[in-house]
Amino acid sequence: MRSTPHKAFATTVLAVAALAAASLGTTPAAATPSAAPRAAACTPAQVVANGGFESGSSPWSQSSTSVITSRAGQSAHTGTAFAWLNGVGSTHTDTLSQSITIPAGCSTASLTFWLHIDTAETTTSTKYDKLTAKIGSTTLATYSNLDKNIGYVQKSFDVSTFAGQSVTVAFTGTEDSSLQTSFVIDDVALDTSGGTTPPGDPTRTPAAPSYTVSLSSNTSGTVWTGHQSATFTNASATALNEVYLRLWDNYHGTCSAMPIAVTNVTGGTAGALSVGCTALQITLPTPLAQGQSATIGFDLGITVPSGTDRFGHDGAFNFIGNALPVLAVKDAAGWHLDPYTNNGESFYSLASDFRVTLDHPDTLLVPATGASVDAPGSSGRTVTTATASKVRDFAWAAGPFTKISGTSPGGTPVNVYSVSGISSADSQSMLTTAKSAVDAHAARFGAYPYGELDAVIDNNYWFGGMEYPGFVLDLVSTTALTHEIGHQWWYGIVGDDEYNSPWLDEAFTDYATDLALNKTGTNCWSSVSWASAAEKITNPMAYWDTHSSRYSTVVYGYGKCALHDLRRVLGDSVMAKLLKDYATSHWYGVSTTAEFKAAAQAATTTDLTSFWTQHRIEG
């Protein structure tokens, strides 16, 4: 995703574009008794009880019975209840706290809550009224009347250092002698995931997933219903007792009104939803040994919310990214059940095959991942069948788009789909850019393997652009479109764990974009200024979600500059060979920071230890 400064959203857009890591998430059921025991392994869990305040006040401690409330004057983020601190307009202190235990063995622990602040204060410079959020004795953040906002904003903090401890999550609000400020909190959650103790089987599994999907839409393309199945193989020597489906787009709704509904599961037993209802555990009927395959199936319902998002609709135009449930990955860290991030990507999946049949009205064009073939359906309808091999995800759009097509000089078919309001000149410009970009990246990193390439253009995308295999969403922008097409290699072909190592796709893609646009990054490293000792190019999204203003600067900017600097150390030809060979050796596989550092070191006799230290590339 090409990160751009977030535009101010209308309250209605916020309501559909964000879901708390909701308190409704529950601990997945334990594995079947035949599972091999693992000491201190992490069981992904949401450990805050009654985080939405819908079950009264227990187990929260509050300074007065009016803190947790549903009274008029404020509204909940979800449900009907919320915590309302202060708002008195005189000297006053309110407190709210809960004691929790964060499980040991989890590498990731993220505290989230939704906060709304309104105030009668008129100052633009003085913090008269304050809210402090703490865990244990550590202050996470302090907010004030200067942080007033329309609607709710989600706050997120990495609290992984407290794993294995019993601590108190506490909020303290203080007001001065006049002019009220209300601090309204809802949907507090603390999600844990990513077991690290003891080291697990490093084999990535379930392997070689194959998805078969059949969906039918309503007249507008905003609702899709049908069936999906997933066949997979256990590549690990450790038997699989369960799998997890990632229902990523439940982030864009609530646990009580989920945009992605999975029902009537076959081939396993559906367990608890967790991680803000984006992870569904399915227990297999018998343990799946190494080399054995299994199939699960389920009915699927998709409701596209309003809002120009990677999952949302801009009027008549629907963008349906990350909507198909995909299998989570299990590796040495255990099951990867990271939370959704709206700041970047959380997506980590293995190369898979998709066959997706989309039954829709003739009035809708349906660009999609893979190669598409249209056939007549029932009266007034078309059946689009899209097939894709060795892709990590599947996305599509649906709407009355204007379509133009061409073929790159290298032979890749390119289609540009534009929403209303995009001029024909801009559409033609994006077609020219796409044809140039796909060939430029292919020449550097290896031939584009996905057949056709679809680009869906809308200038209302707040996020700039978003990548999916063979399918991108983008603004009218030469740089942004070249970047998203670069992701076909760095994330699509050469995969990575996007939540824990975002630099491996964003920095590499921005570097590739510079090369495609004949930019050399001259002296770009000289402008680097670190915000803190903890800031590193290789930090995970858990860090960047709590330092969001620095994410683009460091991961995109400093990251690509570090690669330009590495090119200057190695020499142009050696760097070019390194990246092409690295892409070839990781084709349809997964890249890690350690593997890239090792490959770079093997390409030169110069000791790169100080280079990695200087550029804060760890791992």
Side-chain angles (χ1 to χ4, degrees):
M1 182 166 72
R2 180 68 184 180
S3 182
T4 58
H6 289 210
K7 298 176 182 177
F9 287 177
T11 301
T12 53
V13 175
L14 273 172
V16 299
L19 165 68
S23 61
L24 292 174
T26 56
T27 304
T32 54
S34 58
R38 296 183 299 165
C42 174
T43 298
Q46 198 293 100
V47 298
V48 171
N50 189 25
F53 310 111
E54 301 299 318
S55 302
S57 61
S58 180
W60 291 97
S61 297
Q62 52 183 337
S63 55
S64 72
T65 57
S66 63
V67 172
I68 295 176
T69 183
S70 58
R71 69 185 188 272
Q74 297 291 342
S75 58
H77 174 252
T78 60
T80 59
F82 47 90
W84 185 350
L85 284 73
N86 305 120
V88 176
S90 60
T91 303
H92 186 78
T93 298
D94 277 329
T95 61
L96 178 71
S97 64
Q98 182 181 143
S99 296
I100 60 170
T101 299
I102 304 178
C106 293
S107 61
T108 300
S110 178
L111 174 68
T112 58
F113 58 90
W114 290 82
L115 177 63
H116 166 62
I117 302 173
D118 68 50
T119 184
E121 300 282 3
T122 58
T123 179
T124 59
S125 59
T126 305
K127 299 177 181 180
Y128 289 118
D129 310 317
K130 298 178 183 179
L131 175 75
T132 300
K134 298 179 70 173
I135 184 167
S137 60
T138 300
T139 297
L140 299 174
T142 299
Y143 308 96
S144 75
N145 49 281
L146 300 182
D147 299 309
K148 63 182 179 180
N149 57 289
I150 298 173
Y152 280 84
V153 176
Q154 190 183 37
K155 307 298 182 182
S156 180
F157 303 90
D158 181 2
V159 294
S160 305
T161 56
F162 295 92
Q165 300 181 37
S166 294
V167 291
T168 298
V169 173
F171 303 92
T172 302
T174 59
E175 281 184 291
D176 71 345
S177 59
S178 65
L179 298 178
Q180 74 87 24
T181 298
S182 294
F183 300 100
V184 188
I185 299 167
D186 202 359
D187 291 332
V188 185
L190 199 156
D191 286 293
T192 62
S193 63
T196 58
T197 306
D201 185 339
T203 304
R204 298 181 180 97
T205 199
S210 179
Y211 300 96
T212 302
V213 185
S214 179
L215 297 172
S216 180
S217 81
N218 64 353
T219 56
S220 62
T222 57
V223 176
W224 299 77
T225 56
H227 189 78
Q228 178 173 339
S229 64
T231 299
F232 53 89
T233 301
N234 180 20
S236 169
T238 304
L240 271 182
N241 298 285
E242 63 190 359
V243 294
Y244 285 86
L245 287 174
R246 296 315 308 260
L247 283 56
W248 286 114
D249 283 335
N250 280 342
Y251 171 87
H252 297 273
T254 67
C255 286
S256 58
M258 293 181 285
I260 309 300
V262 168
T263 56
N264 300 323
V265 173
T266 59
T269 302
L273 282 161
S274 61
V275 199
C277 295
T278 67
L280 175 63
Q281 180 199 39
I282 297 178
T283 301
L284 302 177
T286 58
L288 196 65
Q290 186 174 30
Q292 290 185 330
S293 299
T295 299
I296 58 173
F298 46 89
D299 291 337
L300 177 63
I302 298 170
T303 303
V304 183
S306 176
T308 314
D309 211 324
R310 49 194 179 190
F311 178 60
H313 68 85
D314 181 8
F317 301 94
N318 299 276
F319 316 108
I320 311 171
N322 306 111
L324 294 184
V326 294
L327 290 164
V329 178
K330 184 181 182 184
D331 59 20
W335 286 105
H336 283 260
L337 302 178
D338 301 303
Y340 186 102
T341 174
N342 211 31
N343 197 30
E345 288 84 40
S346 303
F347 318 126
Y348 175 25
S349 54
L350 303 183
S352 310
D353 294 339
F354 285 83
R355 180 178 175 83
V356 180
T357 301
L358 302 169
D359 184 326
H360 57 89
D362 293 340
T363 54
L364 304 180
L365 295 183
V366 181
T369 291
S372 295
V373 176
D374 289 342
S378 59
S379 178
R381 297 182 70 87
T382 297
V383 177
T384 299
T385 300
T387 56
S389 298
K390 304 298 183 184
V391 295
R392 299 182 191 278
D393 202 350
F394 185 98
W396 74 100
F401 297 100
T402 299
K403 176 186 177 183
I404 59 173
S405 302
T407 303
S408 76
T412 298
V414 179
N415 305 302
V416 170
Y417 295 80
S418 300
V419 305
S420 55
I422 302 296
S423 70
S424 59
D426 281 343
S427 295
Q428 288 291 340
S429 174
M430 291 299 92
L431 179 61
T432 299
T433 293
K435 291 190 293 185
S436 174
V438 71
D439 283 357
H441 295 315
R444 288 188 172 89
F445 311 122
Y448 177 74
Y450 297 140
E452 66 187 38
L453 173 65
D454 294 337
V456 179
I457 308 300
D458 187 333
N459 276 332
N460 291 328
Y461 296 136
W462 66 265
F463 48 85
M466 180 65 197
E467 69 279 1
Y468 296 98
F471 176 96
V472 300
L473 307 174
D474 221 298
L475 307 169
V476 175
S477 167
T478 296
T479 301
L481 185 56
T482 302
H483 174 97
E484 301 312 332
I485 293 173
H487 273 304
Q488 301 303 308
W489 284 263
W490 304 106
Y491 141 78
I493 298 166
V494 181
D496 65 285
D497 177 350
E498 293 185 302
Y499 188 83
N500 289 298
S501 301
W503 89 288
L504 287 172
D505 51 281
E506 296 299 359
F508 280 59
T509 297
D510 239 21
Y511 175 76
T513 301
D514 273 6
L515 297 183
L517 299 178
N518 298 311
K519 298 178 181 179
T520 62
T522 302
N523 297 323
C524 68
W525 190 258
S526 63
S527 62
V528 167
S529 177
W530 301 105
S532 72
E535 188 172 81
K536 301 175 180 65
I537 288 174
T538 47
N539 280 346
M541 289 307 307
Y543 176 88
W544 298 117
D545 280 345
T546 61
H547 302 80
S548 59
S549 66
R550 295 287 293 170
Y551 170 62
S552 181
T553 297
V554 177
V555 172
Y556 290 72
Y558 295 0
K560 76 172 180 182
C561 285
L563 293 173
H564 279 300
D565 253 20
L566 182 61
R567 173 173 53 82
R568 283 182 272 273
V569 171
L570 301 181
D572 289 359
S573 61
V574 173
M575 182 67 166
K577 185 176 186 303
L578 166 64
L579 288 181
K580 192 160 192 176
D581 289 350
Y582 189 78
T584 299
S585 65
H586 289 77
W587 205 260
Y588 301 139
V590 175
S591 170
T592 67
T593 298
E595 288 171 341
F596 177 71
K597 289 171 66 175
Q601 184 59 76
T604 181
T605 57
T606 300
D607 186 346
L608 296 177
T609 301
S610 61
F611 179 91
W612 307 127
T613 301
Q614 176 194 356
H615 294 79
R616 299 197 183 188
I617 295 173
E618 297 182 357

